[in-house]
Amino acid sequence: MIIDANVQPHFRYNAEIRRYLSAPHKLRAIPDVELQWYQAPGGDYRADLYGDGYPGSDPETVAHHLFDEGGADYAILNPLSRGNIADYLLNSRICAGVNDWLLDRWLEPDTSNRFRGTIRINPEDVRGAVAEIERLAEHPKMVQVGVPLQSREPYGKPMFEPIWEAAAAHGLPVAVHVNGGNGVDHAPTFAGHAYTYPGYAAFMPLNSFVHLATLIIEGMFGRHPNLRFVFADGGYDILTPLMWRLDTFWMSMRDQTPWVDRFPSEYLPGHVRFCSSALDGPTDTSQAERWMDFTDKADLLMYGSSYPHWSTTEPETVVAGLNEGQREKVLWRNASDLFGISARVEGSLT
Amino acid sequence: MTTVEDVAEKTVAQDIAVTIVDTDVHPLPVSADVLKSYAPAEWKDKLWPTGNAVSPVPHFYDTPDSYKTNSLRVDAGPPGGGVAGSDPDFAAKQLLVDAGVSIAVLEPMCDAQLPQAEHVLKAAHNDWLADVWLGEANWHGRWRGAISVTAQDPTAAAGEIERWAGHPYMAEVLMTPQTRGIPFGSPHFDPMYAAAARHGLPIATHLMGQTPFELIPIYPVGNPAHWHDFFASWPLLYVSHLMSLVFDGAFDRHPDLRVVFVEGGFTWALPAMWRMDRIWEHRKADLPHVRRKPSDYVREHVRFTTQPLEEVNLGEYREYLEMMDLGDNIMFSTDYPHWSYDSPDWAIRRFPADQRERIMRGNATELYGLPATVKALPAELPGAGDVAV
Amino acid sequence: MQRRAVCAVEDLPPGTMKLVQAGKFGVGVYNIAGSLYAIANYCSHEGAPLCLGYTRGTTEYAPEMPDKIRHVREGQIARCPWHQWEFDITTGESLADPKKRVRTYEVDVADGQVYLTA
């Protein structure tokens, strides 16, 4: 079995979202998805997917690529919203509009029951985010809550706690993913803005570590045993050296944060998952099997294609060099456990 | 028992082999007045305000017990008084004699808000370092120094490099990594890089920025509340600069440039190299000036100091270092006299056996052009007696 | 190992420590509120002179407090002078990871003298 834990479906055209917005918001200015400042030269998406409609916008085409050609059995759809735009209330309506569109266009019509969805929320509007989770958490096809990677404060900070509490109460992991659009964000690298697309693309997912570190050190995972985070852009190879640091410095810093009652790395198995990406893993696949055991990453990683992004990866590329047990976990078992998706029995729907 | 007076004894008879090079040590002036004496008259009051305007006590992150320790080793205070790291002879006792370091590279830390002020402040530090630590206190020739330069004015920095190039004990150039939004690969730094490369001086970088407001590093997804997760994330600043150096072509513009990332550890370099190599394979058209695999640039141009070493399972750690295969690029450091000091005795056992010599001595010797022997301090000679507790 | 006299009891009042030249690195003998303990002057991390660091209390998680911290065990914790690892003087165990410990020694009082067996 293969579960594709990271697919970004798209609107057919930018204005389509307005069908799902109510009157006060329908005529507001909303950024186009493709106005993201750090767009890939030549387009963000796979070259062969342009032409007949926007890449990733037709459910039949997407299903054909993922399931028939790609060999996946299920796909977790995590749509982009439009970035951290300044008007946080409008942004929450945009997220709700995206969620209604996802249900309307992708999830409800999917009689083969292979798509699963993400409840997009805006962390800058805590009340609105909690309300949106409450609105859609019981829908059987919504399997996670989605937030942008970009944020002006790391997600371990207390202002976000009501949101994570609501997600955990409903058993929904929180998926963090780079978000399109123009937002009010800090520069994407620690050294300022990147001057090249590769300088941005290679670095950006590594920012997930700061979210992760604060979720541990602020005690968010400690207070919410059921809270899980998925870092859906990859960037997990840096986990080994930086968690080593977090563990090492805990010996010195324990007394400032005594609610952290174990080595920080001990929080990973119960609380953290990553999706794969094209930029992860040893460049020498003969090291892949051993590398996957560092920091027990085989238990943390889920295959995600990133379809329709230019960096779309196939399952076999991601698991190249891994042993049987690691392959199984990465290709489906970790996602199956996390999202409660059972193996398909031939001819029936689960 | 070895005393400070023994170390200060000026008679030296014998050379010993260099076995341990320490690439990160922090000297401090005995007082601000000492530094002031090296600054031009018109700058004294600006850099060291008195009266109603006093220099702020900087602190935005709290290292363990920092109110009492000032982030220093509690046992490193000179017996004659003064703050740890301010007495060259006591530092020689603790570091060179007790810890067994053969040669140490001294890196003062300072910064100022505005470019001209920072240039003057760094120049004063250079004059002080050359006069005291590399001058009268270097009768044994075992201290090396860094030429501190301002990253805010690369042309002035180039001038300062020219001023000190050729000094027998100045071994490198030192700049802050908190470069106010300009990554290391930017052509903005070219005058500085050109001067350093021309003189065979590596550019070292080390956390500074404890004073001016603009230098508080604002992380891309916001800042952790505690030093703990802040500093665990800190290598991502070096990752950002490293990616810029490669992708923005600094090593292509300056083929003789070497860069040293100090006090950021080094194990993060492995995933960073993989990521750079992978994106380059996918997006070569976006990087027409990057003519080689990114990791090749790292192996040729970049060095990392070891401290702070991670406290993790030894077998797994050594396996990681073997996998990383960066034994030519790592240089041992203690960070004396700071609290997060790594002892050479402890550190050496962490490394795979076939990397130890390069890490503890060989790589730094090659990078800085260091000798194979140095003068022994009296306490290091046979018959000098045991060091008591 | 030998039992050696350290000092007169009144020369080691509560809240004080005496560093004894015993063993390879020395031993710190502590009087904590009238009870005597001894730990090696050698941190099990990188070999720092443990007893030259500060003797402190520590903190525990207190969710009812505004800053969620309560200060406890004043005078019972040896903080390594280098990396500030916390060691419980009464047991020799690190507070963060009890598996990391420093060596402890027997201390007894006889005829008004403190004796250390090290």
Side-chain angles (χ1 to χ4, degrees):
Chain A
M1 171 149 98
I2 295 175
I3 298 177
D4 184 346
N6 186 41
V7 172
Q8 273 70 56
H10 284 286
F11 289 86
R12 282 170 290 191
Y13 45 93
N14 276 304
E16 188 184 11
I17 190 176
R18 294 178 191 277
R19 292 193 199 171
Y20 300 91
L21 297 174
S22 60
H25 311 103
K26 212 185 259 294
L27 295 177
R28 291 286 302 272
I30 298 171
D32 289 354
V33 172
E34 280 210 275
L35 272 182
Q36 173 167 233
W37 185 248
Y38 286 100
Q39 201 182 149
D44 278 331
Y45 306 111
R46 254 172 52 183
D48 63 317
L49 297 177
Y50 287 91
D52 206 23
Y54 202 89
S57 64
D58 176 50
E60 267 186 42
T61 307
V62 171
H64 177 68
H65 285 157
L66 296 181
F67 305 132
D68 302 333
E69 289 183 359
D73 296 86
Y74 297 94
I76 315 294
L77 304 177
N78 187 358
L80 304 180
S81 59
R82 301 303 166 97
N84 291 328
I85 63 172
D87 185 339
Y88 54 90
L89 293 176
L90 172 61
N91 205 2
S92 291
R93 294 304 97 217
I94 290 171
C95 289
V98 168
N99 296 334
D100 288 333
W101 160 83
L102 190 70
L103 287 164
D104 186 39
R105 182 137 166 82
W106 294 84
L107 299 179
E108 301 290 6
D110 175 31
T111 51
S112 72
N113 199 30
R114 292 178 294 182
F115 286 138
R116 295 292 182 277
T118 304
I119 306 171
R120 287 303 316 271
I121 58 160
N122 173 18
E124 291 182 15
D125 172 18
V126 175
R127 271 190 262 250
V130 171
E132 188 65 4
I133 292 173
E134 297 298 339
R135 181 172 82 98
L136 293 174
E138 293 307 309
H139 193 290
K141 295 197 183 186
M142 288 297 201
V143 298
Q144 65 182 13
V145 167
V147 299
L149 174 61
Q150 294 94 323
S151 178
R152 291 195 298 278
E153 286 282 1
Y155 288 143
K157 289 276 184 82
M159 65 280 268
F160 302 110
E161 190 154 11
I163 306 174
W164 314 145
E165 194 163 30
H170 289 284
L172 294 171
V174 178
V176 178
H177 190 281
V178 167
N179 196 40
N182 271 309
V184 182
D185 299 314
H186 300 306
T189 89
F190 281 53
H193 282 275
Y195 293 165
T196 63
Y197 172 73
Y200 164 77
F203 187 82
M204 190 65 194
L206 302 180
N207 286 309
S208 62
F209 181 77
V210 179
H211 286 307
L212 171 58
T214 58
L215 284 162
I216 296 171
I217 301 307
E218 295 278 334
M220 196 66 72
F221 287 152
R223 289 189 294 282
H224 304 283
N226 202 32
L227 176 61
R228 279 87 44 87
F229 263 71
V230 177
F231 295 104
D233 298 289
Y236 47 82
D237 292 324
I238 204 94
L239 208 55
T240 297
L242 296 188
M243 288 305 299
W244 279 354
R245 284 172 74 91
L246 205 61
D247 279 355
T248 300
F249 301 152
W250 179 64
M251 296 295 298
S252 305
M253 296 297 292
R254 189 212 65 84
D255 65 317
Q256 287 193 17
T257 53
W259 43 82
V260 180
D261 60 1
R262 67 203 70 171
F263 278 103
S265 59
E266 293 181 49
Y267 288 98
L268 294 179
H271 293 276
V272 180
R273 298 291 181 270
F274 285 83
C275 294
S276 63
S277 90
L279 302 185
D280 301 310
T283 46
D284 173 3
T285 46
S286 74
Q287 296 183 320
E289 181 184 354
R290 180 59 187 100
W291 179 249
M292 193 57 72
D293 282 339
F294 278 95
T295 319
D296 294 321
K297 286 194 299 296
D299 293 332
L300 307 182
L301 187 55
M302 303 181 295
Y303 165 67
S305 64
S306 296
Y307 180 99
H309 199 252
W310 67 260
S311 66
T312 300
T313 49
E314 293 174 4
E316 279 310 312
T317 309
V318 171
V319 297
L322 299 186
N323 64 43
E324 208 42 57
Q326 294 169 333
R327 285 175 55 98
E328 179 179 290
K329 287 179 182 176
V330 173
L331 287 179
W332 68 270
R333 192 178 278 289
N334 290 338
S336 170
D337 290 345
L338 184 70
F339 298 119
I341 298 173
S342 315
R344 295 178 71 84
V345 176
E346 192 59 50
S348 72
L349 304 170
T350 33
Chain B
M1 176 170 148
T2 306
T3 64
V4 173
E5 287 71 27
D6 292 340
V7 170
E9 196 182 306
K10 299 296 192 283
T11 54
V12 276
Q14 177 176 322
D15 287 352
I16 52 173
V18 170
T19 53
I20 299 173
V21 179
D22 181 353
T23 55
D24 182 24
V25 174
H26 298 293
L28 282 173
V30 169
S31 67
D33 284 338
V34 166
L35 258 188
K36 248 191 197 180
S37 68
Y38 293 97
E42 67 273 22
W43 280 99
K44 290 187 204 288
D45 285 333
K46 288 182 202 164
L47 288 171
W48 296 278
T50 55
N52 290 333
V54 293
S55 300
V57 173
H59 214 86
F60 47 85
Y61 278 104
D62 213 1
T63 56
D65 209 17
S66 61
Y67 182 54
K68 290 197 72 172
T69 66
N70 280 311
S71 302
L72 299 165
R73 266 175 52 173
V74 175
D75 67 326
V83 75
S86 63
D87 181 338
D89 289 335
F90 187 66
K93 177 213 174 307
Q94 287 202 312
L95 191 63
L96 306 184
V97 177
D98 295 349
V101 167
S102 315
I103 296 176
V105 181
L106 304 169
E107 299 181 346
M109 298 202 294
C110 66
D111 40 55
Q113 184 190 13
L114 298 174
Q116 187 58 14
E118 190 168 83
H119 174 62
V120 172
L121 181 65
K122 302 262 181 191
H125 273 79
N126 295 333
D127 286 315
W128 158 75
L129 192 70
D131 203 22
V132 175
W133 287 76
L134 305 181
E136 64 199 33
N138 209 16
W139 51 272
H140 46 59
R142 291 167 68 165
W143 300 127
R144 294 293 181 281
I147 305 164
S148 297
V149 297
T150 175
Q152 295 190 68
D153 185 344
T155 301
E160 190 66 6
I161 294 170
E162 294 295 338
R163 186 161 82 98
W164 290 105
H167 187 287
Y169 297 123
M170 286 293 197
E172 65 180 14
V173 175
L174 181 64
M175 68 181 281
T176 181
Q178 289 144 267
T179 43
R180 302 161 190 250
I182 308 175
F184 275 8
S186 168
H188 169 78
F189 297 114
D190 278 353
M192 183 201 306
Y193 293 163
R198 183 162 54 243
H199 292 290
L201 292 164
I203 297 264
T205 190
H206 185 292
L207 163 69
M208 280 181 231
Q210 301 291 333
T211 316
F213 177 76
E214 313 91 288
L215 292 189
I216 296 172
I218 303 294
Y219 285 4
V221 295
N223 281 47
H226 301 96
W227 181 90
H228 184 180
D229 34 351
F230 166 82
F231 206 59
S233 310
W234 179 256
L236 293 175
L237 173 60
Y238 284 174
V239 173
S240 303
H241 279 310
L242 180 60
M243 288 187 173
S244 169
L245 282 165
V246 174
F247 293 144
D248 299 331
F251 295 134
D252 298 284
R253 296 194 303 279
H254 306 279
D256 294 327
L257 177 66
R258 309 265 196 99
V259 173
V260 185
F261 287 102
V262 186
E263 205 177 311
F266 60 92
T267 46
W268 51 268
L270 179 59
M273 290 194 295
W274 287 339
R275 291 187 77 74
M276 288 196 289
D277 282 353
R278 281 178 175 273
I279 192 88
W280 179 73
E281 285 294 341
H282 282 290
R283 308 288 313 193
K284 276 186 189 148
D286 297 342
L287 301 167
H289 49 281
V290 179
R291 294 166 289 110
R292 293 182 288 154
K293 214 165 50 152
S295 56
D296 285 347
Y297 285 99
V298 176
R299 290 182 185 281
E300 183 182 332
H301 291 274
V302 181
R303 303 291 181 272
F304 311 86
T305 69
T306 55
Q307 186 267 351
L309 288 170
E310 302 93 326
E311 169 68 9
V312 289
N313 174 271
L314 186 57
E316 193 179 32
Y317 185 75
R318 284 199 191 143
E319 202 181 342
Y320 189 106
L321 265 59
E322 275 159 3
M323 198 180 263
M324 193 168 64
D325 190 27
L326 259 190
D328 290 336
N329 297 73
I330 305 167
M331 303 187 297
F332 172 71
S333 62
T334 65
D335 192 34
Y336 178 90
H338 287 161
W339 69 278
S340 45
Y341 168 92
D342 276 336
S343 142
D345 276 346
W346 178 82
I348 191 172
R349 291 194 296 270
R350 308 291 295 172
F351 308 125
D354 65 341
Q355 294 187 20
R356 275 175 208 158
E357 204 282 334
R358 284 177 283 162
I359 294 174
M360 301 306 289
R361 184 207 70 87
N363 295 333
T365 296
E366 187 261 332
L367 185 72
Y368 297 122
L370 301 175
T373 62
V374 283
K375 297 189 192 307
L377 295 168
E380 291 172 305
L381 296 172
D386 291 319
V387 178
V389 168
Chain C
M1 296 265 275
Q2 61 175 107
R3 184 167 173 268
R4 65 190 84 199
V6 175
C7 61
V9 166
E10 53 268 20
D11 289 337
L12 188 62
T16 64
M17 182 273 295
K18 281 232 185 307
L19 196 52
V20 177
Q21 280 194 37
K24 200 167 164 210
F25 304 102
V27 175
V29 181
Y30 294 77
N31 182 334
I32 298 176
S35 299
L36 300 180
Y37 304 92
I39 58 174
N41 185 31
Y42 186 85
C43 179
S44 51
H45 181 202
E46 296 195 24
L50 179 59
C51 303
L52 299 190
Y54 296 120
T55 305
R56 314 271 274 155
T58 186
T59 61
E60 62 185 21
Y61 178 37
E64 76 282 5
M65 303 288 287
D67 63 347
K68 313 223 179 328
I69 287 183
R70 181 187 305 121
H71 185 82
V72 295
R73 308 197 63 194
E74 183 55 47
Q76 297 180 32
I77 312 299
R79 293 206 73 159
C80 173
W82 295 359
H83 304 90
Q84 299 294 327
W85 285 19
E86 301 170 286
F87 290 95
D88 183 341
I89 296 168
T90 69
T91 62
E93 290 176 355
S94 145
L95 298 189
D97 180 5
K99 294 193 304 299
K100 295 178 166 60
R101 41 175 308 128
V102 295
R103 196 161 172 197
T104 58
Y105 300 89
E106 287 292 313
V107 190
D108 68 278
V109 176
D111 299 325
Q113 284 282 318
V114 176
Y115 289 91
L116 166 70
T117 303

